[in-house]
Amino acid sequence: MHPFIFKEILSVTMILFAIIDILGAIPVIIQLRQRAGHIESEKASIVVLVLMIVFLLVGDKLLDIIGLDVASFAIAGSLVIFIIAMEMILGIHLFKPDEDMANTVSIVPLAFPLIAGAGTMTTLLSLKSQYQTQDILVGIVINTLFVYLVLKNVQWLEKLFGKTGINILRKAFGIILLAIAIKLFRSNTHL
């Protein structure tokens, strides 16, 4: 067993933090909470943690088994992110709220693909070739704790920004999310 290397843990944590972009997702989280009634921060955080660890350990094998490549997986995630971005920018609802939304929103689309999405999963696969697995695991746990703190305090953040601030943030981050979706799509297609 290799010793934990602080520099590697810090690097992995910062890379994952940038890819997950939980701070950038705050307007989306607020919108989802408003539509669903509440967000189960514990459930969402556990799902994020489990998804990332499983994908780190067996992601490439899992995709092989179901006959998918990383690029196809990333394109599928980019399309879901694209739809969420269009909702934010245009103020429309493409995902129709249903009675199960309150039960499922913490998992889909919040935990996956918004937080632990295709970008995070593909990043984990590339980190695996550069860093020790235990250092990546520590980075995953640190990021999951940060995700939990943001999700747990989303109502406070909503009050802090106010209705006008949230609307401005929603439109601005909708455009950023749209750009991320397009970049993810373009970098995984050979057009």
Side-chain angles (χ1 to χ4, degrees), residues 142-153:
I142 292 168
N143 273 281
T144 304
L145 288 171
F146 196 76
V147 163
Y148 172 75
L149 288 172
V150 170
L151 293 177
K152 199 73 182 162
N153 294 297

Side-chain angles (χ1 to χ4, degrees), residues 117-134:
T120 306
M121 301 309 188
T122 51
T123 301
L124 285 170
L125 291 180
S126 60
L127 287 173
K128 203 170 161 179
S129 65
Q130 297 174 306
Y131 298 97
Q132 299 294 327
T133 301
Q134 74 268 12

Side-chain angles (χ1 to χ4, degrees), residues 28-29 32 39-40 44 48 104-116 151:
V28 187
I29 297 164
L32 290 171
I39 297 278
E40 295 174 75
V48 164
T104 61
V105 75
S106 298
I107 298 168
V108 177
L110 183 59
F112 178 83
L114 198 61
I115 298 170
L151 293 177

Side-chain angles (χ1 to χ4, degrees), residues 25-39 83-95 101 105 109-110 114 154 158 166-167 169-171 173-174 177:
I26 289 171
V28 187
I29 297 164
I30 289 170
Q31 180 180 338
L32 290 171
R33 193 191 71 74
Q34 287 171 346
R35 287 175 58 192
H38 73 290
I39 297 278
I83 292 168
I84 293 169
M86 292 308 291
E87 281 190 339
M88 291 174 72
I89 295 165
L90 301 174
I92 56 173
H93 297 299
L94 298 172
F95 288 111
M101 187 176 188
V105 75
L110 183 59
L114 198 61
V154 77
E158 195 175 350
I166 289 168
N167 285 334
L169 282 173
R170 185 177 295 135
K171 303 278 186 221
F173 281 105
L177 211 54

